[in-house]
Amino acid sequence: MPVLRQESTSDAPPWKHRDWRMRIGGTWQSADASREVIDPGTGTVIATVPEAGITHVDASVAAARSAFDSGVWHVMPADDRARILWRIADLIDERADDIAVVEAVNQGSPLQDVRAGLIPEAARVFRYYAGWVDKVAGRAARLRVDVSEFLTYTLRSPVGVAALITPWNSPLLMAAWKAAPALAAGCSCVVKPAELTPLTTLMLAEIAQEAGLPEGVLNVVTGDGVTVGGRLAAHPDVDKVAFTGSTSVGRDVVRAATGNLKKVSLELGGKSPVVVFADADVDAAIDGAARAIFSNAGQVCTAGSRLIVAEEIYQEVVDGVARVARTLNVGHSLDPRSEMGPVISAEQRRTVMGYIESGIRDGATLVAGGQEAGPGFFIEPTVLGDTRPEMRAVTEEIFGPVVTAMTFGSPDEAVALANSSRYGLAASVWTRDVGAAHRVASRLRVGRVGINVHGLADVTMPTGGFKESGWGRELGPEGLDLFLETTSVFNRLDAR
């Protein structure tokens, strides 16, 4: 597989000549230890960031707690808080070119995808929740109990200090998904970005400071997930933890959070089905299925990694997806011809290759791809045909550009296969029969269903999972609810 190489950008790309530090309270801090940040498209070092220890985590939580208890943020007038969140969005837009280059090189996605989609969407998330700041309100009612009359109402208040632990696959957008609603609710936050992709979250901290966010309200601590993330999940002064990542680490977060029974929300793994019926627009289904698995090299929680196709059109669909896989331009994030980048690390490439080899050993047919390339951590877009539900490649999340394909004979069988996963994050249904599409969608045990589209997310609509794909819903009004508490007040009107 020829890999398209990076074209020269400039003598001073935006990730160089920077002193990358953590934001704790009102200061930028380093640490005794450091961690190298790698460009997965070349395997070379692009930056060095602090490796936080427990003392840094405790200091960040203390800063967030002090800011929250002082009321410097959540007591500020709502329109002033909204203006600051809106200003964060404006600054993201103003610096989008630099942010996009850093994000693309650090994470590996093609620059054009990052610049046109992920960075503007992060700004949009902050604008959306800026609009919610002055709309956080309870409800009121009159109540009669026996002979007494009561005026009852609810108060909505921020949960307190929120720890936000984000993944490496869309770093800035995932930070926005959590930080924007948490700040809109009035919380103070500690953000722990993934150790592999911390750079744009540190840039977000700079932007928040410039936008006028008070000191201590948004802290960013970089470092190892076990040390930093584990301490945040267990910390007695953290009131809420929001985590996106693997299901296995999600379980660790839940266990760590039991000490003070802090609120927990989780967006975890997925093994999302793409169900193609015989009457589907085959060309559209092929294009949609390919995009569902090869976008971001399959490193998307909602990636369409299980292709479930009606027997009558199975070969046509699989051949079509394989054709896309073979012709896709795979290359470095800064090459303008690149349509798919590398996976994030050498370790992730070994993991993905292990699943491909496991599928072939279990009897799957290698229809396309299946090879790795370098320098960098590249894997060919891969299609495994003739798979069975019990195969590891079918049951376990791969998080790479690998799709498994199988057939179904009836709608009931299609639904049963789609629901057979222990995950329940997303799915898509491809058919021209509108009634059938909605009937099937209502039977799928997932948090998000696309009809003739896969993986579409929007800040106005909630997203999250059933089963082992997590707890709670991010985005939309539901995303704000994750960071709010409710108090019921009963006021007796005839009291003397």
Side-chain angles (χ1 to χ4, degrees):
M1 175 186 66
V3 174
L4 303 173
R5 303 313 313 154
Q6 172 183 351
E7 294 186 357
S8 177
T9 52
S10 71
D11 293 332
W15 63 85
K16 291 196 174 182
H17 311 306
R18 290 179 63 109
D19 186 9
W20 297 97
R21 298 193 181 199
M22 301 178 288
R23 182 70 176 175
I24 300 177
T27 64
W28 295 97
Q29 298 188 20
S30 58
D32 294 336
S34 62
R35 176 184 292 269
E36 293 179 336
V37 179
I38 305 297
D39 170 4
T42 61
T44 59
V45 176
I46 58 171
T48 301
V49 298
E51 183 75 3
I54 296 297
T55 55
H56 299 99
V57 180
D58 290 349
S60 68
V61 174
R65 173 56 61 192
S66 176
F68 184 78
D69 290 346
S70 73
V72 67
W73 176 242
H74 68 87
V75 177
M76 182 186 291
D79 55 345
D80 292 337
R81 287 188 285 129
R83 273 193 290 269
I84 290 173
L85 294 185
W86 198 277
R87 179 60 177 153
I88 290 174
D90 286 345
L91 289 171
I92 291 173
D93 281 339
E94 289 174 19
R95 300 175 189 178
D97 289 341
D98 279 356
I99 296 171
V101 171
V102 173
E103 184 92 322
V105 172
N106 188 184
Q107 194 273 332
S109 287
L111 174 60
Q112 58 268 27
D113 295 346
V114 176
R115 179 62 184 87
L118 300 179
I119 306 307
E121 187 62 19
R124 182 171 176 241
V125 170
F126 274 97
R127 288 197 182 93
Y128 175 81
Y129 284 107
W132 271 104
V133 171
D134 62 357
K135 300 171 185 65
V136 177
R139 59 185 176 85
R142 294 177 78 93
L143 176 69
R144 181 172 291 278
V145 178
D146 296 329
V147 297
S148 296
E149 189 175 12
F150 295 82
L151 173 65
T152 64
Y153 59 92
T154 58
L155 298 172
R156 301 280 275 160
S157 57
V159 70
V161 173
L164 314 176
I165 305 174
T166 59
W168 47 257
N169 55 328
S170 296
L172 182 67
L173 183 58
M174 294 298 98
W177 278 23
K178 289 175 169 51
L183 293 172
C187 293
S188 294
C189 307
V190 179
V191 185
K192 190 275 177 201
E195 52 264 44
L196 296 173
T197 55
L199 301 184
T200 52
T201 305
L202 293 172
M203 296 175 83
L204 177 62
E206 294 176 358
I207 285 172
Q209 177 191 13
E210 184 173 334
L213 196 69
E215 294 179 356
V217 174
L218 181 69
N219 307 272
V220 178
V221 184
T222 56
D224 178 72
V226 174
T227 301
V228 178
R231 177 58 176 165
L232 285 171
H235 203 293
D237 272 341
V238 170
D239 303 298
K240 155 81 184 182
V241 60
F243 170 79
T244 296
S246 70
T247 296
S248 61
V249 177
R251 290 191 177 94
D252 293 337
V253 168
V254 171
R255 284 189 286 267
T258 59
N260 65 341
L261 294 178
K262 57 176 60 67
K263 305 293 187 295
V264 177
S265 57
L266 307 166
E267 187 190 12
L268 306 177
K271 195 70 179 177
S272 299
V274 176
V275 183
V276 184
F277 285 87
D279 68 339
D281 180 331
V282 173
D283 290 340
I286 288 169
D287 180 70
R291 290 176 184 273
I293 189 58
F294 301 137
S295 295
N296 203 20
Q299 299 169 123
V300 181
C301 293
T302 57
S305 53
R306 290 187 296 144
L307 183 56
I308 302 171
V309 188
E311 293 171 349
E312 303 94 308
I313 60 169
Y314 171 81
Q315 202 60 54
E316 184 180 4
V317 171
V318 170
D319 288 347
V321 175
R323 184 170 57 252
V324 174
R326 295 189 194 99
T327 57
L328 207 61
N329 285 330
V330 178
H332 190 274
S333 57
L334 297 187
D335 192 302
R337 298 166 295 169
S338 178
E339 297 171 295
M340 191 187 91
V343 295
I344 191 65
S345 67
E347 180 182 2
Q348 184 64 17
R349 182 168 65 179
R350 285 192 295 271
T351 298
V352 175
M353 291 303 299
Y355 278 111
I356 294 172
E357 292 159 6
S358 169
I360 294 170
R361 282 197 307 270
D362 289 343
T365 301
L366 181 62
V367 183
Q371 301 297 315
E372 59 183 75
F377 313 125
F378 292 92
I379 296 176
E380 290 180 338
T382 299
V383 179
L384 294 176
D386 305 313
T387 59
R388 301 185 307 276
E390 69 273 13
M391 293 179 176
R392 281 185 62 235
V394 176
T395 61
E396 298 181 17
E397 184 176 39
I398 297 176
F399 225 63
V402 182
V403 63
T404 63
M406 66 182 67
T407 65
F408 69 86
S410 68
D412 286 345
E413 184 182 3
V415 170
L417 286 170
N419 285 338
S420 64
S421 173
R422 71 178 188 266
Y423 299 110
L425 196 56
S428 59
V429 179
W430 298 79
T431 176
R432 289 186 171 94
D433 187 332
V434 174
H438 289 288
R439 285 192 294 272
V440 171
S442 70
R443 297 173 63 190
L444 296 178
R445 300 287 294 166
V446 298
R448 193 198 313 168
V449 180
I451 296 175
N452 297 318
V453 67
H454 187 92
L456 185 63
D458 190 87
V459 67
T460 63
M461 295 290 288
T463 187
F466 286 42
K467 298 183 281 187
E468 293 185 28
S469 287
W471 295 348
R473 295 292 182 269
E474 294 186 312
L475 303 183
E478 291 85 350
L480 190 64
D481 289 341
L482 295 178
F483 298 96
L484 292 168
E485 294 277 28
T486 301
T487 301
S488 296
V489 179
F490 294 78
N491 179 31
R492 186 171 177 176
L493 298 181
D494 60 352
R496 293 186 178 89

